[in-house]
Amino acid sequence: MTTIDIHAHFVDRHYLDELTRVMRLDTKRTVAGKTLLRGRGATMAWTRPDMFAVEHRLGDMAHKNIDVRVLSVSAPNVYPWPVTEQVEIARHVNDALSRYCRAYPEKFIGLASLPLADVDASLREIDRAIDELGLQGVAIGSNIGGGLALNDARFEPLWAKINALRLPVVEHPVFPRDTSDMGEFELPLRVGLMFDTTLMAARMIYAGIFERYPEFPFVLAHTGAALIMLMERLDTGYRLFPDCRKFIDRLPSEYGKRLYYDSCAFGQQALMFAIGAVGVGQILFGTDDPFIGADTAHVMRLPISDADKAAILGGNAARLFGLA
């Protein structure tokens, strides 16, 4: 059995240096060997020296019996940059990630970042990233540029192209537009990210993105945040309100059951709830490495068959990424 981690991050020094500059982040606070990158009163990300050492990451994979990792740049992706710089930083990230994956092709798969402030540039970058760089999908945030929704009409050409190519898309949340009332307990990270994934997914379902473009796999981080719990509520909206039926012709939960969800809720009850709601075939193993860096234990301890565990740990992802 091949174990495939679909929620792992590529850590690049130039990207983090530029992110610190463009977001005016404070890097002076160190906690337990981690340098915190802080802005707007919250931790945006953190670094440790071993995050940059590929030998350490390969050793960690071997220790945890993880065969392949699907890598994407960490939140907030490339969206904080102004439009012209966004194109440049996306090209840098994709070039660097491609070199990383090509150096260890049996261990790493890369997901392209797109400069979504410029849709035409994003369409060109898809071609370059897939055809020239060998990346195998797209990493996308839960909102663009501090609030622009992914169901905005300007992104229709993007979804059409992704759909035509059947490219896997792996979502990772970014902070919501406004976190001013989350000024304690690291609530933007703990709650804000989950809120934004849930809001994004509900909007995309109601907006008919998955109705018009049904051919590409879309993966939600952190087991979909609260989406699965809210599916019946979304269905009730469809039954009650014409606006909720404007772009779709079936219950929202039917689209939700066709989406994919990583295992990064980690808790047994949450994962069993997800399996019961959408089925084993829609769940993909993830660790949130190197920020959380879980192992396979949260899947192995589930009260499901060995065949189902094998599907979650690698079989489903192998099918999505053409590794089967």
Side-chain angles (χ1 to χ4, degrees):
M1 178 186 72
T2 299
T3 302
I4 303 172
D5 174 8
I6 67 94
H7 185 154
H9 296 290
F10 172 59
V11 185
D12 177 72
R13 289 188 185 277
H14 177 72
Y15 167 82
L16 290 173
D17 287 346
E18 286 298 292
L19 183 69
T20 299
R21 174 188 64 82
V22 77
M23 295 192 72
R24 298 182 174 88
L25 299 180
D26 177 13
T27 62
K28 296 178 182 178
R29 188 179 302 183
T30 301
V31 177
K34 299 187 295 288
T35 299
L36 307 185
L37 309 183
R38 291 182 55 81
R40 294 190 289 172
T43 300
M44 307 293 290
W46 59 88
T47 66
R48 302 184 312 271
D50 60 29
M51 289 181 173
F52 302 97
V54 67
E55 296 82 4
H56 172 83
R57 300 195 72 179
L58 290 169
D60 180 70
M61 290 170 66
H63 176 70
K64 295 174 179 175
N65 295 315
I66 296 170
D67 299 299
V68 179
R69 277 195 158 130
V70 180
L71 300 176
S72 60
V73 71
S74 61
N77 208 298
V78 300
Y79 312 135
W81 281 263
V83 58
T84 54
E85 292 185 47
Q86 197 173 118
V87 174
E88 295 174 4
I89 196 67
R91 288 177 65 92
H92 165 79
V93 166
N94 293 336
D95 287 344
L97 178 54
S98 174
R99 290 192 295 269
Y100 199 87
C101 293
R102 283 176 165 169
Y104 302 93
E106 296 181 354
K107 291 297 179 183
F108 299 122
I109 291 171
L111 301 175
S113 296
L114 302 178
L116 291 176
D118 185 333
V119 174
D120 288 338
S122 295
L123 298 176
R124 293 192 296 271
E125 187 62 12
I126 287 176
D127 289 335
R128 193 182 79 91
I130 304 303
D131 297 338
E132 297 179 23
L133 301 182
L135 302 182
Q136 297 184 43
V138 170
I140 202 162
S142 52
N143 73 72
I144 311 304
L148 182 61
L150 291 174
N151 62 292
D152 190 281
R154 73 194 73 183
F155 294 128
E156 288 290 312
L158 177 78
W159 298 123
K161 186 178 187 72
I162 286 172
N163 190 67
L165 295 173
R166 291 174 167 78
L167 284 180
V169 176
V170 179
E171 176 267 350
H172 192 283
V174 298
F175 283 179
R177 182 197 304 265
D178 184 8
T179 59
S180 60
D181 60 345
M182 300 182 190
E184 56 185 350
F185 312 125
E186 297 290 0
L187 289 175
L189 278 175
R190 304 275 63 80
V191 177
L193 296 183
M194 303 303 103
F195 164 83
D196 216 59
T197 285
T198 307
L199 179 63
M200 173 277 303
R203 275 183 165 149
M204 290 184 70
I205 288 171
Y206 276 137
I209 301 298
F210 306 116
E211 169 72 24
R212 295 190 295 280
Y213 308 111
E215 302 297 333
F216 73 97
F218 191 85
V219 184
L220 292 171
H222 308 114
T223 323
L227 179 70
I228 295 175
M229 180 67 74
L230 293 176
M231 278 188 187
E232 180 56 36
R233 188 172 181 85
L234 299 182
D235 286 355
T236 299
Y238 178 88
R239 298 182 186 105
L240 289 175
F241 303 115
D243 189 51
C244 294
R245 300 190 295 271
K246 186 176 180 180
F247 299 107
I248 54 177
D249 60 8
R250 65 190 74 179
L251 291 172
S253 60
E254 294 190 37
Y255 301 95
K257 290 174 183 177
R258 297 196 333 229
L259 304 179
Y260 293 86
Y261 303 83
D262 73 20
S263 66
C264 290
F266 298 125
Q268 179 173 320
Q269 289 181 319
L271 291 175
M272 291 304 296
F273 182 80
I275 289 169
V278 303
V280 163
Q282 305 305 111
I283 310 296
L284 310 170
F285 172 60
T287 68
D288 206 348
D289 184 79
F291 299 105
I292 302 298
D295 57 21
T296 60
H298 65 281
V299 174
M300 293 302 296
R301 66 172 172 252
L302 296 176
I304 57 177
S305 70
D306 289 344
D308 285 347
K309 291 175 184 177
I312 293 171
L313 287 171
N316 297 335
R319 184 177 71 253
L320 259 64
F321 288 95
L323 303 178

